[in-house]
Amino acid sequence: MRYVGRPILRVEDELILRGKAVYFDDIELPGMLYAGFVRSPYAHARVLKVDFSDALKMPSVVAAFGPGDGEPFNFAPGGKVRYQGEAVAMVVARDRYLLYEALEKVAVDYEPLPAVLDIYEALRPDAPLVDESLGSNVVHDKVYEGGDPDRALKEADVVVEGRFVIQRIIPSAMEPRGVVAAYDGDVLTIWSSTQVPFDVRKEVAKALGLPLARVRAIQPFVGGAFGSKLLVYPEEVCVAAAAYRLKAPVKWVATRSEDFKATTHGRALTLEYKVGASRDGRILAVTGTVYADAGAYYWGEGLADTAAQMLPGPYDIRHGRVRAVAVLTNKTPLSAYRGAGRPEATLFIERIMDHVADVLGMDRVEIRRRNLIRQLPYRNVFGVTYDTGDYVATFEKALERLGYRDLRRWADEEAKRGRIIGVGFSVYVEITTFGYETAVLRAERDGSFTLYTALTPHGQGLATALAQIVADELEVPIEKIRVFWGDTAYVGDGIGTMGSRSITAGGSAAVLAARRLKQELAKAAEALLGCKPEYKRGEFQCGGRSVSIAEVVKAVYRGKAEAQLTVEAIYHAEPTFPFGVHLAVVELDPETGFVKPLLYKSYDDVGVVVNPLLAAGQVMGGALQGIAQALYEEAIYDEAGNLVTSNLAFYYVPTAAEAPRYEVYFAEEPHPSKHPTGTKGIGEAATIAATPAVVMAVEDAMRRVKPGVRIDKTPITPEDVWRMLR
Ligand code: MCN
């Protein structure tokens, strides 16, 4: 009986649901001090003077750090703040509430500078410069090219041009960022709401000149991250430095508004495109420019580039040239948000397919059918090699399973009763998994097994999935396996949970560790049995005799046989490419313009599905975030650079009330990856696929009232719908 493939309930949930899971803010240490940051109210300003004298008069205040206190407290590099919410100074107080009073007493003199908030404004030669040292606001500019796009455009029967604008999104994890750091004179320990404890450890050690061995980073339970906690932030290093200097534990917890400004934002990409197609609907060339509104610092490296390189999507397009440009503006820095470049690429190419289909008067299914890649592996025009799959067969199967045609007929019927219902779908290929991952597996003396993973789950349920994988590999009951994660004291190094890489990279490392442990134990079993054994169902067998894995372990501990009982495996993972089709049904309210998602269906080929319950959970949560991009969420700044949507009253994060009914399918004939787990990632797939499916559905609904309308941006707000319907 294998565990992989079964919908096993999450072992993590007992603690989470009973409120016993420990998050960083649950950690209270004797003598705890509380840190806070003075943040710029201006989007762009020179910092002339920071005066702590009034704050330091408060008895509760222990210390204040600012420019002049050396690294890492050199806030506002170049004497300038570049976005509203950028830290200017740090205060440490004994009382968590008086801290806020102290922060108000720090007097900062600013000289406001003109702010630039729009990428097209920022590109003008006379635009204010976010970073003077660059000489322009363009911080990155790279061209991806393949084939002969100019000739292909010339030879095309139709050339279609357009622009699509994706809004800025605030990742809004339920748990805001924060950190606790404590120094006992020997070891500096940091508990952080992060995806990257190994990086936190390295950055802190480097900043303070400490040996790695004396710095320990712990990722306690984390209440969501969605990519926004995969950078080491200045606050983490500053809090650790304060704890080190003051030799006392220090805690910082972001408020919601602070988190909205000081945690990276996502998306904010614009594509200008020009594509050529033949009369029969083959896309011959795709060209254009992807602009990233990078915000005040270029932390989101690679976002525009991934969008450019993945722009051809699952379609066989042989000629292309896409420029990836990142532009600095006076906003919160942009970085990864669930999908990080692939949702943008997918939304762009799916909109392009629809645009070309409209120009040619072609059906939206048919144009995709004609362009899908026929043979895998496939190297796309920008050099990305998609590994396994059968896109044509999976596409046809998915349309049937999702009931696309039936749902459209149903929408037609309902239209006769006055309901405005639209049906849309999207096709995607995306890139998951990269880099190495580490697993340490120990056989305990009682025959149970402890797995230490370098993965850093923060909601995905990986402890459950890894236990399934290891239980299968060792052929022991899952109860015998306990998984620990999130501590640099467990495992020396690793990358962590991001890029839908965990089950594939970290799971494969766990498989390798289990195989290595079996090899070790086989040596010991041979010594006990006197013949070379085979391993079956938890037993080593040969010569008509057998010994259980637990007995072998016990014998080793008693010194009767030799084997290494703790093994480490490091697995290097090449990227792998999930493929799928998602479908959305929406209803428009003509009075209010509000769009209600009624139904969401998905069909994904992610190779081996380790735990269909966990994978389906990823699809549902991920899809709601993609729906939110299509319909609800947007970070809005006013002309002065104030973040208007600075809390959850103004920034519309959907809840269960907005969620549609879901039907989640995984391919009956999956195409496994080449990794030991056979998996491809599912963590971001639905976020990638949902937005284009919903946009198509809304456009389909609107065209029932106003034929020919075209959606060329997200989100589609109620106001947009209301105006378009009129
Ligand atoms: N899974 C599976 N079979 C597969 C693939 C995955 O059963 N073939 C299961 C895995 O066991 C795991 C989950 O699905 O429980 C996700 O696995 P994977 O696709 O490897 O993705 P990661 O674990 O690396 O998760 C990262 C991904 C990303 S990049 C973002 S962003 C994201 C997401 O996960 N952020 C999340 N899902 C999130 N879910 C929660 N609750 N909170 C977040 O912040």
Side-chain angles (χ1 to χ4, degrees):
M1 189 179 66
R2 283 173 61 81
Y3 290 102
V4 167
R6 284 167 52 192
I8 291 175
L9 290 179
R10 307 191 340 161
V11 296
E12 295 91 334
D13 288 348
E14 177 70 19
L15 291 179
I16 294 174
L17 295 177
R18 292 187 190 281
K20 289 181 182 166
V22 174
Y23 296 81
F24 80 89
D25 198 17
D26 295 317
I27 294 165
E28 286 299 341
L29 298 169
M32 186 82 96
L33 303 176
Y34 298 90
F37 294 86
V38 178
R39 297 187 180 276
S40 170
Y42 296 104
H44 199 189
R46 242 169 255 299
V47 180
L48 304 177
K49 200 168 131 214
V50 180
D51 182 357
F52 291 121
S53 47
D54 281 352
L56 287 170
K57 279 183 203 139
M58 289 177 65
S60 183
V61 172
V62 178
F65 300 99
D69 288 302
E71 283 299 338
F73 302 110
N74 283 328
F75 301 104
K80 224 175 77 159
V81 282
R82 303 190 197 172
Y83 65 96
Q84 186 185 58
E86 182 167 356
V88 180
M90 176 181 173
V91 176
V92 182
R94 282 187 196 88
D95 183 276
R96 196 168 178 162
Y97 298 94
L98 291 175
L99 168 70
Y100 289 94
E101 206 176 309
L103 290 173
E104 305 238 310
K105 290 197 177 187
V106 177
V108 185
D109 286 350
Y110 296 96
E111 178 198 331
L113 299 167
V116 59
L117 297 149
D118 174 82
I119 51 165
Y120 291 106
E121 295 283 322
L123 288 169
R124 288 167 52 154
D126 57 345
L129 293 180
V130 178
D131 180 347
E132 281 87 0
S133 72
L134 287 178
S136 93
N137 288 316
V138 175
V139 67
H140 175 77
D141 189 343
K142 189 167 172 182
V143 176
Y144 295 88
E145 187 164 357
D148 188 346
D150 296 321
R151 203 191 48 168
L153 282 178
K154 233 178 266 149
E155 288 172 6
D157 295 324
V158 291
V159 171
V160 177
E161 286 181 73
R163 187 165 77 131
F164 197 96
V165 182
I166 297 175
Q167 79 272 39
R168 209 168 233 272
I169 287 176
I170 302 177
S172 331
M174 194 183 289
E175 182 197 38
R177 283 195 302 118
V179 56
V180 175
Y183 180 57
D184 61 8
D186 182 21
V187 174
L188 176 60
T189 307
I190 304 128
W191 292 263
S192 183
S193 180
T194 182
Q195 294 172 247
V196 288
F198 297 97
D199 289 349
V200 169
R201 181 197 201 200
K202 282 176 224 163
E203 290 291 321
V204 168
K206 194 169 84 188
L208 300 179
L210 289 171
L212 273 180
R214 287 194 190 280
V215 180
R216 177 181 180 191
I218 298 175
Q219 178 210 34
F221 271 86
V222 169
F226 311 111
S228 72
K229 296 173 183 172
L230 62 69
L231 296 172
V232 180
Y233 282 90
E235 293 92 349
E236 292 172 293
V237 182
C238 289
V239 170
Y244 182 66
R245 287 202 192 181
L246 300 171
K247 296 200 171 30
V250 180
K251 179 189 281 190
W252 167 67
V253 187
T255 64
R256 179 61 65 183
S257 301
E258 190 178 16
D259 201 50
F260 267 28
K261 290 176 186 164
T263 296
T264 53
H265 292 175
R267 304 283 189 276
L269 298 196
T270 295
L271 173 73
E272 290 171 358
Y273 61 89
K274 186 172 180 181
V275 300
S278 65
R279 206 160 291 118
D280 62 356
R282 286 277 290 135
I283 309 287
L284 304 174
V286 56
T287 66
T289 303
V290 178
Y291 294 101
D293 172 358
Y297 295 90
Y298 187 42
W299 292 352
E301 292 185 24
L303 290 174
D305 300 74
T306 303
Q309 286 177 286
M310 291 304 287
L311 189 60
Y315 306 112
D316 180 23
I317 304 172
R318 294 323 305 157
H319 306 279
R321 183 191 306 114
V322 181
R323 212 176 127 198
V325 179
V327 184
L328 294 180
T329 56
N330 293 113
K331 298 182 199 164
T332 293
L334 193 74
S335 183
Y337 172 62
R338 203 168 189 171
R342 293 101 78 206
E344 296 92 320
T346 306
L347 181 52
F348 291 151
I349 192 65
E350 289 298 273
R351 288 280 73 206
I352 288 172
M353 296 309 277
D354 290 347
H355 196 171
V356 175
D358 286 347
V359 170
L360 294 172
M362 188 176 272
D363 177 73
R364 292 181 165 193
V365 169
E366 193 51 36
I367 192 162
R368 287 168 172 81
R369 190 176 275 145
R370 292 193 186 179
N371 284 285
L372 277 175
I373 290 163
R374 316 235 149 227
Q375 182 91 43
L376 277 284
Y378 175 92
R379 200 178 132 92
N380 88 3
V381 65
F382 301 130
V384 184
T385 302
Y386 309 161
D387 55 349
T388 61
D390 182 341
Y391 296 175
V392 176
T394 308
F395 176 68
E396 298 300 342
K397 184 84 207 172
L399 287 179
E400 183 194 314
R401 185 45 62 98
L402 302 180
Y404 174 64
R405 299 278 179 212
D406 292 345
L407 283 165
R408 295 214 49 162
R409 269 193 293 276
W410 172 74
D412 293 343
E413 284 303 311
E414 291 300 306
K416 292 179 196 149
R417 286 184 263 282
R419 290 177 76 185
I420 312 172
I421 293 172
V423 184
F425 70 94
S426 67
V427 191
Y428 76 91
V429 59
E430 73 120 339
I431 176 167
T432 72
T433 313
F434 63 90
Y436 66 96
E437 210 44 276
T438 316
V440 172
L441 183 61
R442 184 167 72 222
E444 305 290 357
R445 49 186 67 240
D446 64 353
S448 59
F449 299 89
T450 308
L451 179 77
Y452 298 96
T453 176
L455 296 175
T456 52
H458 42 278
Q460 293 86 354
L462 286 160
T464 308
L466 289 173
Q468 289 175 257
I469 288 174
V470 173
D472 277 358
E473 197 59 41
L474 294 179
E475 300 180 71
V476 299
I478 197 166
E479 297 74 31
K480 294 264 178 216
I481 292 157
R482 180 64 169 86
V483 179
F484 289 86
W485 75 90
D487 190 333
T488 61
Y490 295 157
V491 184
D493 206 358
I495 293 176
T497 292
M498 61 184 79
S500 301
R501 64 188 296 278
S502 297
I503 209 61
T504 309
S508 293
V511 171
L512 295 195
R515 287 183 189 160
R516 206 158 291 166
L517 185 62
K518 276 193 296 190
Q519 281 166 10
E520 286 292 330
L521 292 172
K523 282 192 293 187
E526 188 177 344
L528 295 174
L529 294 167
C531 50
K532 233 186 179 33
E534 259 193 87
Y535 190 64
K536 268 192 209 141
R537 274 175 251 106
E539 289 185 336
F540 291 94
Q541 307 170 350
C542 62
R545 289 184 299 140
S546 69
V547 53
S548 76
I549 189 167
E551 285 170 290
V552 177
V553 170
K554 280 176 197 156
V556 176
Y557 276 111
R558 281 199 306 267
K560 297 224 168 123
E562 258 189 64
Q564 210 182 315
L565 293 178
T566 302
V567 297
E568 181 177 45
I570 296 176
Y571 183 73
H572 293 263
E574 289 298 315
T576 179
F577 295 77
F579 173 85
V581 183
H582 287 212
L583 175 147
V585 182
V586 302
E587 179 163 13
L588 312 190
D589 179 339
E591 292 302 314
T592 63
F594 192 79
V595 178
K596 179 149 181 53
L598 299 177
L599 175 63
Y600 194 89
K601 293 180 162 195
S602 61
Y603 190 92
D604 295 285
D605 181 356
V606 290
V608 173
V609 175
V610 173
N611 183 325
L613 203 58
L614 296 177
Q618 289 297 310
V619 171
M620 293 177 190
L624 193 54
Q625 284 179 306
I627 292 168
Q629 183 195 324
L631 301 175
Y632 308 129
E633 296 187 21
E634 180 170 21
I636 298 171
Y637 285 85
D638 68 14
E639 305 93 84
N642 298 303
L643 180 64
V644 177
T645 51
S646 65
N647 62 47
L648 287 167
F650 300 109
Y651 186 83
Y652 185 0
V653 178
T655 65
E658 287 84 1
R661 192 159 66 75
Y662 290 100
E663 274 177 39
V664 176
Y665 300 98
F666 295 103
E668 294 93 340
E669 288 171 43
H671 297 80
S673 69
K674 303 235 156 54
H675 300 290
T677 52
T679 54
K680 301 178 179 184
I682 189 69
E684 294 157 293
T687 313
I688 291 164
T691 313
V694 173
V695 170
M696 194 206 278
V698 176
E699 198 176 81
D700 180 53
M702 290 202 301
R703 285 181 177 189
R704 291 168 186 278
V705 184
K706 268 239 160 135
V709 287
R710 170 179 318 288
I711 295 168
D712 59 6
K713 64 145 189 131
T714 54
I716 314 156
T717 64
E719 185 180 339
D720 294 331
V721 174
W722 191 86
R723 280 184 196 286
M724 272 194 254
L725 291 180
R726 275 155 189 81

